[in-house]
Amino acid sequence: LFSIDPQKERLPSDFKIRPGIVIPADIYRYREYNMLLLSDQSAPTSGTVSLKTGEFYGGEKTSVNLGIATTPKEGLKWGAGMDLSFVHLPAGDFISEIIETDVAWAQTPTTFFQGLVQWDREDDNLGANLRFRWEYRPGSRFYFIVNPTHQKDKETYLLLAKLTGLWD
């Protein structure tokens, strides 16, 4: 697949994208050129490769994304990927590298777990999004979400619970 995607973004104030690299407040218009290659996503193991390049806040950015997914058994899917971005801006250059893994597991027709773990190499930031869903009756669900993060010497945890109900 190939696409050309016009972008428009308004930065209402200066944005510090990296230490020592600030993008000035402005309205930015640019194009991204995308190429995406996919293997058969319904196969037991599949992969993706994407290349994205174009203008970026008055400079240029090129990103490469590699991913693999496998379904070892019914109801279980595991994947991993890596995203590299090479950014050249008037205020400076940097490379962004993110490595991630995710799992989705439907234990029963009414329970589901999904987890995503990401590591940002430049910031040495490890974060996760762990979600559990239980459909306790048709159309009514309970969600429990945990988002732990670890960045340098700081750890945070976000816990969320949500209950929905279908009225008869």
Side-chain angles (χ1 to χ4, degrees):
L1 302 167
F2 180 79
S3 67
I4 300 173
D5 301 323
Q7 304 286 324
K8 179 181 176 184
E9 189 166 349
R10 178 182 168 268
L11 291 180
S13 58
D14 291 355
F15 176 65
K16 182 179 174 183
I17 194 165
R18 291 290 187 267
I21 303 176
V22 176
I23 300 171
D26 203 346
I27 295 175
Y28 293 88
R29 292 177 176 87
Y30 49 92
R31 284 188 197 93
E32 289 181 338
Y33 302 89
N34 301 297
M35 184 176 66
L36 176 64
L37 301 172
L38 301 166
S39 65
D40 181 359
Q41 301 294 294
S42 66
T45 301
S46 61
T48 61
V49 176
S50 72
L51 175 65
K52 190 183 292 187
T53 189
E55 302 155 287
F56 185 73
Y57 296 115
E60 296 178 350
K61 179 172 100 170
T62 299
S63 298
V64 177
N65 182 281
L66 306 171
I68 188 167
T70 185
T71 308
K73 68 179 210 165
E74 184 72 29
L76 180 63
K77 185 173 185 176
W78 173 81
M82 185 165 88
D83 186 39
L84 287 170
S85 294
F86 303 90
V87 181
H88 305 285
L89 296 171
D93 302 339
F94 65 92
I95 298 172
S96 171
E97 181 180 358
I98 296 175
I99 298 171
E100 66 182 32
T101 185
D102 63 287
V103 64
W105 182 26
Q107 299 97 329
T108 70
T110 60
T111 59
F112 180 75
F113 172 80
Q114 187 170 21
L116 170 70
V117 178
Q118 287 185 328
W119 178 58
D120 178 341
R121 181 179 174 160
E122 185 176 36
D123 293 332
D124 195 20
N125 183 3
L126 181 64
N129 178 269
L130 310 170
R131 291 175 276 168
F132 174 76
R133 183 190 76 213
W134 170 44
E135 188 168 9
Y136 59 93
R137 71 172 189 236
S140 300
R141 297 182 179 101
F142 171 73
Y143 299 88
F144 183 69
I145 302 162
V146 180
N147 288 347
T149 60
H150 176 79
Q151 186 173 15
K152 296 184 172 87
D153 294 331
K154 181 180 171 187
E155 291 189 19
T156 59
Y157 297 90
L158 174 66
L159 302 174
L160 299 168
K162 178 181 176 183
L163 184 66
T164 65
L166 181 64
W167 296 80
D168 290 335

